[in-house]
Amino acid sequence: MHSGLGYWYWQKEVSHEDCQRLINLSKDNWDEAAVDGPEGYTISNDRKSDVVFVNDQWVYDLISPLMEVANENAGWKYNITAAEDCQVTKYTKDGFYTWHTDSLGSHKDVNTDPDNKLLFGNTRKLSMSILLNDDYEGGNFEFRGMGEEECLEGEGTVIVFPSFNWHQVTPVTKGTRYSLVAWFVGPPFV
């Protein structure tokens, strides 16, 4: 376990077998990734990747303890009450995701679907990215203002960070990059 400025990570924490199981959850049913904007989710020039959303219980059993350790040991101690569906992401050559945040954690970013009792009224507080392979080039995960970190690479590496941190995935130059992304939610910050 390691702590960076504004994030917590484990290198090669998730086994090769589990990484492959996570990739295989896609069942090759990829959709072009969309970006949340003022008029809902739209295809955007800010991102080029494919995604599949999953909610298998074994995935939460794998990732929730990691989130809890990071939340405690990094000193955030955020009130986390649930997790959204996870996203398996595929970046092929030239795939990327420009600088973005996953949420501000404020009342402006709450879930407004009253039919989803776990998420309704809550906001993303912690984000997690798990790198599922390392047979690609480019596709670096970076935080704005924190410099490039070579340690944030490698199959099975887990990165946990407050959802308001600016981050990006640089363009993949060779091969295909896979990751699992998860968002943990709770009451808005006041």
Side-chain angles (χ1 to χ4, degrees):
M1 296 179 288
H2 306 278
S3 178
L5 297 173
Y7 60 93
W8 191 269
Y9 73 97
W10 291 263
Q11 277 189 285
K12 302 185 179 190
E13 177 69 14
V14 177
S15 71
H16 172 75
E17 293 75 22
D18 281 340
C19 287
Q20 291 303 304
R21 282 181 72 195
L22 289 164
I23 292 170
N24 291 336
L25 287 174
S26 73
K27 299 181 179 125
D28 286 327
N29 291 323
W30 300 102
D31 290 316
E32 187 174 0
V35 175
D36 189 14
E39 297 178 21
Y41 287 95
T42 59
I43 303 303
S44 165
N45 291 332
D46 294 336
R47 180 177 192 180
K48 181 182 174 194
S49 62
D50 295 311
V51 298
V52 171
F53 286 91
V54 299
N55 59 12
D56 297 48
Q57 185 59 49
W58 74 267
V59 176
Y60 297 105
D61 292 343
L62 175 72
I63 66 174
S64 293
L66 297 168
M67 177 277 299
E68 291 169 3
V69 168
N71 191 25
E72 180 67 26
N73 291 349
W76 301 315
K77 301 179 189 267
Y78 294 157
N79 180 7
I80 302 296
T81 58
E84 295 182 30
D85 287 353
C86 297
Q87 176 183 276
V88 180
T89 309
K90 175 174 75 170
Y91 295 89
T92 56
K93 186 175 183 310
D94 300 323
F96 67 95
Y97 196 168
T98 60
W99 292 112
H100 66 282
T101 65
D102 294 336
S103 173
L104 297 176
S106 71
H107 289 276
K108 292 170 37 173
D109 288 326
V110 296
N111 183 293
T112 58
D113 179 3
D115 294 330
N116 191 326
K117 302 288 186 233
L118 288 175
L119 302 180
F120 180 72
N122 287 316
T123 186
R124 291 177 177 173
K125 289 189 166 182
L126 288 176
S127 298
M128 176 185 287
S129 184
I130 302 176
L131 305 176
L132 302 179
N133 67 318
D134 53 15
D135 55 344
Y136 61 91
E137 294 177 12
N140 297 326
F141 186 96
E142 297 177 349
F143 288 105
R144 180 175 278 171
M146 295 183 199
E148 291 185 36
E149 296 288 339
E150 291 181 27
C151 60
L152 300 181
E153 298 301 321
E155 180 185 68
T157 295
V158 179
I159 308 160
V160 182
F161 55 97
S163 299
F164 54 75
N165 281 356
W166 285 87
H167 56 286
Q168 73 171 349
V169 175
T170 64
V172 171
T173 57
K174 183 178 179 183
T176 302
R177 177 192 193 272
Y178 294 96
S179 60
L180 176 85
V181 178
W183 303 279
F184 299 91
V185 304
F189 296 121
V190 291

